[in-house]
Amino acid sequence: MDFSLPADLVAYLAELDRFIEREIKPLEEADDNIRFFDHRREWARTDFENGGLPRHEWEALLRKAKDLADAAGHLRFPVPKQYGGQDGSNLWMAVIREHFAAKGLGLHNDLQNEHSIVGNFPVVTMLDRYGRDDQKAMIDGSIKGKYRITFGLTEPHHGSDATHMETRAVPATRDNVKGWIINGEKMWTTGMHVATHCALFARTSGNDGDARGITCFLVPAKSHGVKVEEYMWTFNMPTDHPRVSFTDVFVPEDALFGEVGRGLSLAQCFVHQNRIRQAASSLGAAVYCINESVKYARERKPFGRALAENQAIQFPLVELATQAEMLRLLIRKTAWEMDQLTEEQIERTLSDRVSMCNYWANRLCCESADRAMQVHGGMGYSRHKPFEHIYRHHRRYRITEGSEEIQMRKVAGFLFGYMGPGKH
């Protein structure tokens, strides 16, 4: 069994590295843009006088980097070829995202807001697989920034338990137009400050707890009755995570996104791709912290001896490096298997391993960043090193991205036999 990376993938990583050095690094270093990545990063990125939202200059810089990557043919790598992409696989994306994150903070890839010069487009996948032709026509615009579709699934009182959502949509007619009236509230609707639409999930039939009966709608963000109630200030700032209310929001029938009552299929489509790639990024960030710690321990010589000579420094890093190597194999194997299956097959037979990758990668990254802060001493604790930023972001992942507990419950469901093959 050959575990080595394909030669064409290795060549593509080198091509991406050359592109970063040629076009992204100069942009990062121009006009003091490095302020968004050095010790000033949180203050440079955050408009504290405007609800803690991202500063316009920060988002404009990210868009400029994306445009450069799109012109070079990299941004759309995972997107189907008919939309200008390269049909990039989950395996390739996992390797690329680990590679980028292992480079550390930079304009090439920023985990805090899922920015990357090789884009992660789960919404594009949703549009392609479940959208009508007029909705698929939004794909190019969503890549270029013309459209921004947020994800309205989580609710204030139910968190990651989507099956008990209180948001309701009922059939209605207004001005002789058939459609739906939606009432409810959503949390962590990321990007709503610049959104054009919200992929909003609401119960249209069935009982609380039923997987069936939840429907997705593409709701224009400026619809009457849509209101951002507050932006939630978070562990890492800036914030673009609001609590949004939907009060008697009317949408016509063509706002329907996917099949009535089968909306959770869209949610799973979004979640599986996102979480395996997030796991790869978390692994890469952990590797960065481990490598920087080893490098520093070899260079730093307090009391005349290199830190690296101390087993108290060596052994914790040995454990983290071992875990990283094992996790890398699990992520790549899982990503490869995902490429062989349909979304329904992934949910039925493989989603436990996606969850394993996700929760363990986030945990490993937090532990590696924490260890890096300790190895680097006072400077490791300061914001002049990126470790506190990495720690806070991935500690947030452990809480909010489906939460570690939810991921472990998925694994337990497969392990104890009440989920998995034959249980759907």
Side-chain angles (χ1 to χ4, degrees), residues 314-332:
Q314 293 175 359
F315 285 8
L317 292 172
V318 166
E319 288 190 13
L320 293 170
T322 302
Q323 291 174 25
E325 187 64 27
M326 291 189 293
L327 180 60
R328 178 179 295 112
L329 294 176
L330 178 60
I331 289 174
R332 292 181 181 179

Side-chain angles (χ1 to χ4, degrees), residues 162-180:
T163 63
H164 282 78
M165 67 174 57
E166 297 178 22
T167 301
R168 295 289 190 268
V170 297
T173 300
R174 281 190 181 175
D175 299 325
N176 296 319
V177 177
K178 290 184 177 181
W180 302 78

Side-chain angles (χ1 to χ4, degrees), residues 126-413:
M126 290 167 62
L127 289 168
D128 181 45
R129 291 185 182 176
Y130 297 98
R132 301 184 309 271
D133 288 344
D134 60 310
Q135 292 169 334
K136 290 180 181 180
M138 300 173 69
I139 288 177
D140 186 68
S142 68
I143 296 171
K144 292 180 177 179
K146 177 182 177 180
Y147 300 114
R148 175 69 184 269
I149 301 174
T150 64
F151 198 64
L153 181 66
T154 304
E155 295 192 349
H157 301 298
H158 299 284
S160 297
D161 180 10
T163 63
H164 282 78
M165 67 174 57
E166 297 178 22
T167 301
R168 295 289 190 268
V170 297
T173 300
R174 281 190 181 175
D175 299 325
N176 296 319
V177 177
K178 290 184 177 181
W180 302 78
I181 289 181
I182 305 173
N183 283 279
E185 198 170 43
K186 297 294 180 179
M187 285 283 286
W188 315 115
T189 319
T190 303
M192 201 66 185
H193 66 299
V194 292
T196 58
H197 297 78
C198 177
L200 179 64
F201 295 82
R203 182 165 292 284
T204 52
S205 65
N207 301 313
D208 288 343
D210 292 346
R212 294 288 182 94
I214 293 171
T215 302
C216 187
F217 301 89
L218 272 183
V219 179
K222 302 302 182 184
S223 297
H224 181 74
V226 178
K227 181 182 178 183
V228 173
E229 298 289 348
E230 61 179 326
Y231 281 95
M232 313 304 296
W233 285 40
T234 57
F235 208 26
N236 280 58
M237 293 293 282
T239 178
D240 58 352
H241 314 297
R243 177 170 60 89
V244 184
S245 63
F246 300 83
T247 305
D248 293 331
V249 176
F250 178 80
V251 293
E253 286 187 326
D254 63 6
L256 183 66
F257 190 11
E259 294 182 42
V260 173
R262 299 294 299 272
L264 287 187
S265 296
L266 281 79
Q268 292 294 348
C269 171
F270 182 102
V271 163
H272 285 140
Q273 275 199 5
N274 229 30
R275 287 183 180 158
I276 192 65
R277 294 171 185 180
Q278 180 195 309
S281 292
S282 297
L283 170 62
V287 169
Y288 170 80
C289 293
I290 294 167
N291 290 344
E292 288 296 302
S293 296
V294 170
K295 178 182 176 182
Y296 183 80
R298 291 167 66 91
E299 294 172 349
R300 180 75 166 174
K301 297 181 179 179
F303 309 108
R305 294 181 58 197
L307 281 175
E309 296 180 20
N310 300 323
Q311 290 182 345
I313 296 293
Q314 293 175 359
F315 285 8
L317 292 172
V318 166
E319 288 190 13
L320 293 170
T322 302
Q323 291 174 25
E325 187 64 27
M326 291 189 293
L327 180 60
R328 178 179 295 112
L329 294 176
L330 178 60
I331 289 174
R332 292 181 181 179
K333 179 177 182 292
T334 302
W336 178 82
E337 289 180 310
M338 289 175 67
D339 290 329
Q340 319 306 313
L341 303 175
T342 66
E343 196 61 43
E344 291 73 19
Q345 290 171 327
I346 292 172
E347 173 62 18
R348 190 171 64 252
T349 66
L350 196 63
S351 59
D352 61 327
R353 271 170 284 169
V354 176
S355 291
M356 287 178 186
C357 294
N358 186 267
Y359 87 77
W360 194 255
N362 291 334
R363 183 181 293 185
L364 176 63
C365 188
C366 286
E367 292 176 357
S368 300
D370 182 67
R371 176 57 56 179
M373 285 188 275
Q374 295 180 52
V375 171
H376 284 75
M379 286 302 293
Y381 174 73
S382 79
R383 295 193 178 192
H384 291 264
K385 294 290 183 180
F387 308 123
E388 57 80 29
H389 179 82
I390 294 170
Y391 176 86
R392 285 189 294 149
H393 176 65
H394 290 271
R395 190 67 184 88
R396 188 265 286 182
Y397 264 170
R398 291 180 65 180
I399 298 168
T400 64
E401 292 299 310
S403 87
E404 184 169 293
E405 177 186 329
I406 296 297
Q407 301 306 314
M408 294 180 77
R409 285 178 63 186
K410 174 66 73 71
V411 176

Side-chain angles (χ1 to χ4, degrees), residues 36-164:
F36 296 113
F37 304 99
D38 65 16
H39 62 282
R40 301 167 290 173
R41 54 190 166 264
E42 191 164 41
W43 295 91
R45 298 178 182 194
T46 307
D47 190 345
F48 288 103
E49 304 304 317
N50 186 30
L53 288 169
R55 291 190 187 276
H56 172 73
E57 296 87 350
W58 167 231
E59 294 191 314
L61 178 64
L62 299 179
R63 185 69 254 172
K64 190 170 184 178
K66 285 185 174 73
D67 290 343
L68 287 172
D70 201 13
H74 300 310
L75 183 67
R76 304 185 189 215
F77 173 78
V79 174
K81 289 182 179 179
Q82 64 261 40
Y83 307 116
Q86 301 181 44
D87 281 323
S89 68
N90 283 300
L91 174 60
W92 279 49
M93 282 295 290
V95 173
I96 290 168
R97 287 175 71 84
E98 180 193 341
H99 181 74
F100 280 176
K103 289 177 173 291
L105 300 185
L107 187 54
H108 67 287
N109 191 75
D110 194 89
L111 299 179
Q112 186 180 2
N113 54 15
E114 284 296 318
H115 161 78
S116 180
I117 61 167
V118 175
N120 186 35
F121 299 112
V123 169
V124 168
T125 304
M126 290 167 62
L127 289 168
D128 181 45
R129 291 185 182 176
Y130 297 98
R132 301 184 309 271
D133 288 344
D134 60 310
Q135 292 169 334
K136 290 180 181 180
M138 300 173 69
I139 288 177
D140 186 68
S142 68
I143 296 171
K144 292 180 177 179
K146 177 182 177 180
Y147 300 114
R148 175 69 184 269
I149 301 174
T150 64
F151 198 64
L153 181 66
T154 304
E155 295 192 349
H157 301 298
H158 299 284
S160 297
D161 180 10
T163 63
H164 282 78

Side-chain angles (χ1 to χ4, degrees), residues 21 24-34 37 107:
E21 291 300 318
I24 301 301
K25 280 293 184 182
L27 178 60
E28 179 183 300
E29 295 166 358
D31 302 320
D32 197 32
N33 287 332
I34 199 65
F37 304 99
L107 187 54

